[in-house]
Amino acid sequence: MCGFWGLNYGGSSWIWMFGFSLLRWALFIGAVVWIVKTITKNSNRSYFSSNKAVDLLHERYVNGEITEEEYLHKKKILND
């Protein structure tokens, strides 16, 4: 009895095992890549947004919009 592509289903079980093994490894590697990208994206985002906030705070202080006391207090909060 012939199966798909003329192969016997019973004799081609190694193909299925190999295919599912590849699929399992592809899913595992994909999950690891996704986790690493998510972690690095979040850490980069907080780093850059923090720097942007500190830069904006410094700019407001230089322009005289806030006092030195306010500047130091807010800078301390942002750096924690």
Side-chain angles (χ1 to χ4, degrees):
M1 187 146 180
C2 289
F4 192 65
W5 287 330
L7 298 173
N8 185 353
Y9 285 119
S12 64
S13 62
W14 66 272
I15 294 174
W16 290 104
M17 288 189 308
F18 181 71
F20 282 120
S21 179
L22 283 177
L23 179 63
R24 196 172 339 159
W25 276 106
L27 289 174
F28 176 73
I29 291 171
V32 169
V33 167
W34 178 76
I35 290 169
V36 168
K37 281 189 174 190
T38 302
I39 290 171
T40 58
K41 184 171 92 173
N42 288 340
S43 66
N44 286 342
R45 183 183 310 156
S46 64
Y47 173 75
F48 288 119
S49 64
S50 175
N51 280 346
K52 185 176 179 182
V54 172
D55 290 344
L56 183 60
L57 182 65
H58 183 71
E59 184 178 326
R60 288 183 63 200
Y61 173 66
V62 169
N63 290 337
E65 298 174 20
I66 58 175
T67 65
E68 182 180 1
E69 183 179 309
E70 287 177 305
Y71 171 74
L72 294 174
H73 177 72
K74 291 178 181 185
K75 185 177 178 183
K76 181 180 177 187
I77 292 172
L78 289 172
N79 287 331
D80 286 342

